């Protein structure tokens, strides 16, 4: 039973890879097996990812930038830190400029949405996705897949630090994010330095650090398996 | 488009010694670093091919039997010492840290000496010296006096105890002093000396109560004060025993001998060695210990004011001893005289790398035909001796061997009359050293009669004050230094900042100008400023700011010299901006701004600008 989710992911990967006109990076992604739920967290590589978007609705809003880093052996590899501006081909509103501090000009010089997806496939290959409040990243990735390749539900293993925290506190996970569960509030609980939010790469690193702290606070951190955090 | 992780880079840049890296090197270090986290109370397993840096949190390093070696925090490194594998590294807070592969790191910045030195020879951080239970002497002197106190019983007697039985008690118990209590409260102290100077010399009946010969209201030290502080009181007040009190109750005693055993390079020890030295050669040997004294003081985190005081005390003692040796050699003086030091030694602000400044004030009975030979011999002996002890001949020739600076009181009065009443800018600049003088040997009444005349004149003469203020404005603090690197082109090292000339001297000149204009007799810069505040010549805030600025600049300077000593370099006043920690740079900037503000107020105050 416990492997059912893994096998579901596997078969879906195989099924999707038969689709036509997929970019090479996606085919590569689909051909590489994903971490399985019995793997130990310490042996899994995670891609901590953060999107900055024009709003919360994947159908109407767009990704303006994304940032990431990689965790291996429960350490953040700062050599893997990265950040890209994405050109959403739509005007920014003044409100979201002030949140993300990215100007129209910068956005115009960014990469296209399909380039973004190819980058993400490359980075995510064989890794688990690590986000804080997966509603955004998962939602946008799936919407873009629908728009670009005609399928929903990209097979991926997602770990959400917000869910991890809910599990730890025995709270029911809700699909909104209370203030006490925001990244900075949780970071503070683990004595992590305050960070000025809303830069995609810094947020991705901040999420990665939070995850390391959460794992460190579990019993026998090096024995924790993936299924214990998803 | 990619961006760098500026925050991590900034954190690295603010971490010693990475502040010596340029931006592209820093970027590389960020890239090779990894971030990890351990919750509190985790015993870390270190990998030998990494060095570690704490981003947030704290790590306690302990050796065998849980002896605490170090407690380190944000911006501190660990895991780089060869012996660290023997120690336990335990997080005492939730800790986020970086680990950096050693080999790649040293390949990246290995050619930078300072970085090599930092990781090869790292002195314990300041937090260590107070926390560690290491048995080195420094730490012992940093302990409270209570921890060093002797058993108190043999040292306490009632005030009605007869002199004779106290003497017997002291002899039996082999103690050199006893504390006298009246109704349980400390009322006096008696040292073995009192039996010579009072009982025998004054022929006091030994059946009288001990209170007859005791020194009343003795100096005491509070139980929580450190051994270093006890040492300073002893050195300043020339006492060898200090009762330890807690809420007015005697709880212990500490003696100079107790402290001496703890440390052989301390000021009390050096001075007593100097006083016993029989020749210049011996003094020369002792004077070689002065740098060690400075290093110890810096390591013990002593205040710069106390460090300069202890170094000056040794300088003073060497002067005194040399004059005494000269008198032993050339006989009793035919007329009275005062041996006077000038400049930093007079101000008790001497640190290392000082030349000698001294003069002689002779009695007006002096007859050059009869007495010149004697006094010149004394002066030459002392000046040569000082030179041999490392206080090099004064480049400006302000030395007693120079006939001009070895004169009777009346001639000195004429000199000062000339300087004060008809000042010449250049002559006055050279003469400013004569306004910081202190008599350290001989007939001090000669000195005081001169000093009173000087202050009487300087107080009244506003033209002189304006000239002094104008002189004081010549050396400007290097505002904008760290921004523009406007450097002191006259210095031997062009890329460095002369902290003495551009930082310390402006404050000294400032304090001197105000002190002379207000008839203040103190010579020490901090004392002068405090005296000014007390007589309301300066606002409390201005006074406190100036003192803070002065102390801070001097602290940076002393630390710089201590570092040079450690590296076996000749200590100097030229500080390379690269070696100053970024936080200190900010404070230095603030300090320079305070000094500049003070200068401009002074300029207006004394109308100094009209002269420039």
């Amino acid at each position: 039973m416990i492997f059912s989710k893994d096998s579901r992911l596997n078969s879906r990967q195989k099924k999707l890879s038969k689709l036509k006109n997929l970019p090479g990076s996606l085919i590569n992604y689909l051909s590489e097996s994903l971490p399985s739920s019995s793997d130990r967290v310490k042996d899994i590589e995670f891609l901590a990812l953060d999107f900055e978007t024009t709003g919360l609705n994947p159908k109407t809003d767009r990704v303006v930038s994304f940032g990431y880093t990689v965790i291996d052996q429960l350490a953040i590899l700062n050599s893997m830190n990265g950040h890209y501006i994405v050109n959403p081909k739509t005007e920014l509103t003044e409100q979201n400029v002030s949140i993300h501090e990215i100007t129209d000009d910068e956005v115009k010089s960014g990469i296209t949405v399909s380039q973004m997806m190819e980058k993400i496939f490359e980075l995510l290959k064989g890794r688990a996705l690590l986000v804080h409040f997966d509603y955004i990243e998962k939602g946008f990735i799936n919407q873009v897949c629908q728009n670009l390749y005609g399928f929903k539900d990209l097979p991926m293993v997602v770990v959400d630090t917000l869910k991890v925290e809910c599990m730890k506190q025995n709270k029911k996970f809700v699909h909104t994010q209370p203030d006490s569960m925001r990244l900075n509030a949780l970071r503070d609980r683990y004595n992590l330095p305050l960070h000025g939010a809303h830069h995609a790469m810094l947020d991705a690193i901040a999420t990665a650090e939070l995850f390391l702290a959460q794992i460190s606070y579990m019993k026998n951190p090096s024995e924790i398996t993936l299924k214990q955090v998803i | 488009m990619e961006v760098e992780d500026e925050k991590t880079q900034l954190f690295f840049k603010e971490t010693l010694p990475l502040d010596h890296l340029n931006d592209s090197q820093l970027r590389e270090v960020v890239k090779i670093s990894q971030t990890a986290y351990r919750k509190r109370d985790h015993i870390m397993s270190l990998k030998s091919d990494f060095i570690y840096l704490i981003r947030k949190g704290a790590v306690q390093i302990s050796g065998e039997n849980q002896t605490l070696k170090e407690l380190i925090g944000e911006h501190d490194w660990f895991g780089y010492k060869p012996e660290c594998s023997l120690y336990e590294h335990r997080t005492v807070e939730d800790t986020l840290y970086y680990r950096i592969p050693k080999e790649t790191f040293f390949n990246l910045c290995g050619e930078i000496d300072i970085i090599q030195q930092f990781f090869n020879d790292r002195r314990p951080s300041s937090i260590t010296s107070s926390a560690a239970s290491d048995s080195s002497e420094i730490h012992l002197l940093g302990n409270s006096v209570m921890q060093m106190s002797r058993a108190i019983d043999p040292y306490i007697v009632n005030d009605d105890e007869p002199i004779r039985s106290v003497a017997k008690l002291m002899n039996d118990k082999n103690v050199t002093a006893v504390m006298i209590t009246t109704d349980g409260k400390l009322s006096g102290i008696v040292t073995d000396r009192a039996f010579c100077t009072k009982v025998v010399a004054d022929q006091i009946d030994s059946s009288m109560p001990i209170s007859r010969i005791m020194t009343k209201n003795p100096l005491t030290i509070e139980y929580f004060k450190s051994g270093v502080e006890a040492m300073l009181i002893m050195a300043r007040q020339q006492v060898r025993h200090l009762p330890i009190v807690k809420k007015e109750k005697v709880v212990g005693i500490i003696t100079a001998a107790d402290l001496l055993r703890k440390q052989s390079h301390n000021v009390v020890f050096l001075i007593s060695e100097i006083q016993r030295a029989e020749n210049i050669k011996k003094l020369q040997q002792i004077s070689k210990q002065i740098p060690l004294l400075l290093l110890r003081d810096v390591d013990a985190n002593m205040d710069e004011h106390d460090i300069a005081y202890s170094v000056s005390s040794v300088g003073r003692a060497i002067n005194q001893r040399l004059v005494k040796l000269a008198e032993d050699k050339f006989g009793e003086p035919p007329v009275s005289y005062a041996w006077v030091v000038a400049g930093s030694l007079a101000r008790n602000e001497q640190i290392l790398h000082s030349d000698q400044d001294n003069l002689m004030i002779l009695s007006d009975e002096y007859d050059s035909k009869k007495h010149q030979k004697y006094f010149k011999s004394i002066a030459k002996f002392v000046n040569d001796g000082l030179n041999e002890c490392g206080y090099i001949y004064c480049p400006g020739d302000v030395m007693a061997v120079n006939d001009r600076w070895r004169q009777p009181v009346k001639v000195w009065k004429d000199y000062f009359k000339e300087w004060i009443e008809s000042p010449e800018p250049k002559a006055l600049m050279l003469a400013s050293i004569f306004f910081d003088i202190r008599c350290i040997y001989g007939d001090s009444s000669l000195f005081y009669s001169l000093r009173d005349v000087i202050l009487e004149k300087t107080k009244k003469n506003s033209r002189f004050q304006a000239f002094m203020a104008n002189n004081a404005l010549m050396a400007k603090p290097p505002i904008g230094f760290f921004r523009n690197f406007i450097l002191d082109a006259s210095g031997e090292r062009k890329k460095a900042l002369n902290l003495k000339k551009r930082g310390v001297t402006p404050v000294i000149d400032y304090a001197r100008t105000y002190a002379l204009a207000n008839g203040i007799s103190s010579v020490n810069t901090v004392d002068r400023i405090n005296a000014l505040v007390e007589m309301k010549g300066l606002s409390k805030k201005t006074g406190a700011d100036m003192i803070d600025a002065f102390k801070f600049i001097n602290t940076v300077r002393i630390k710089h010299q201590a570092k040079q000593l450690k590296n076996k370099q000749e200590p100097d006043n030229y500080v390379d901006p690269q070696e100053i920690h970024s936080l200190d740079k900010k404070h230095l900037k603030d300090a320079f701004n305070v000094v500049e503000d003070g200068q401009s107020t002074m300029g207006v105050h004394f109308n100094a600008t009209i002269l420039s």
Side-chain angles (χ1 to χ4, degrees), chain A residues 73-79 81-85 106 189-193 195-196 199 201-202 205 209 212-213 216-217, chain B residues 1-8 30-40 42 55-57 93-96 98-99:
Chain A
Q73 295 289 312
L74 289 178
I76 299 167
L77 308 179
N78 290 314
S79 56
N81 300 350
H83 183 260
Y84 286 88
I85 305 279
E106 271 184 291
R189 184 173 303 167
Y190 290 99
N191 194 36
L192 289 166
H195 93 121
H199 177 285
M201 185 177 83
L202 297 184
I205 295 173
E209 289 174 352
L212 296 184
S216 177
Y217 260 86
Chain B
M1 185 183 83
E2 261 189 83
V3 293
E4 286 99 38
D5 184 355
E6 285 168 16
K7 292 207 171 162
T8 312
V30 171
K31 269 195 181 167
I32 61 171
S33 72
Q34 304 175 2
T35 315
Y37 178 98
R38 294 288 177 261
K39 69 169 180 179
R40 64 183 298 167
H42 179 90
R55 168 70 180 87
K56 188 152 190 254
E93 283 174 22
D94 291 340
T95 302
L96 185 71
Y98 299 113
R99 56 180 194 221

Side-chain angles (χ1 to χ4, degrees), chain B residues 7-26:
Chain B
K7 292 207 171 162
T8 312
Q9 199 170 317
L10 187 67
F11 178 83
F12 280 19
K13 199 179 177 60
E14 286 172 353
T15 300
L16 290 172
L18 301 186
D19 53 339
H20 289 274
L21 297 181
N22 62 36
D23 283 349
S24 80
Q25 287 169 314
L26 276 170

Side-chain angles (χ1 to χ4, degrees), chain B residues 55 75 378:
Chain B
R55 168 70 180 87
H75 291 289
I378 296 271

Side-chain angles (χ1 to χ4, degrees), chain A residues 78-79, chain B residues 27-34 50 99-106 108:
Chain A
N78 290 314
S79 56
Chain B
R27 254 196 306 278
E28 284 306 308
V29 176
V30 171
K31 269 195 181 167
I32 61 171
S33 72
Q34 304 175 2
F50 284 96
R99 56 180 194 221
I100 300 173
K102 234 184 229 173
E103 203 182 318
T104 327
F105 175 74
F106 285 114
L108 202 72

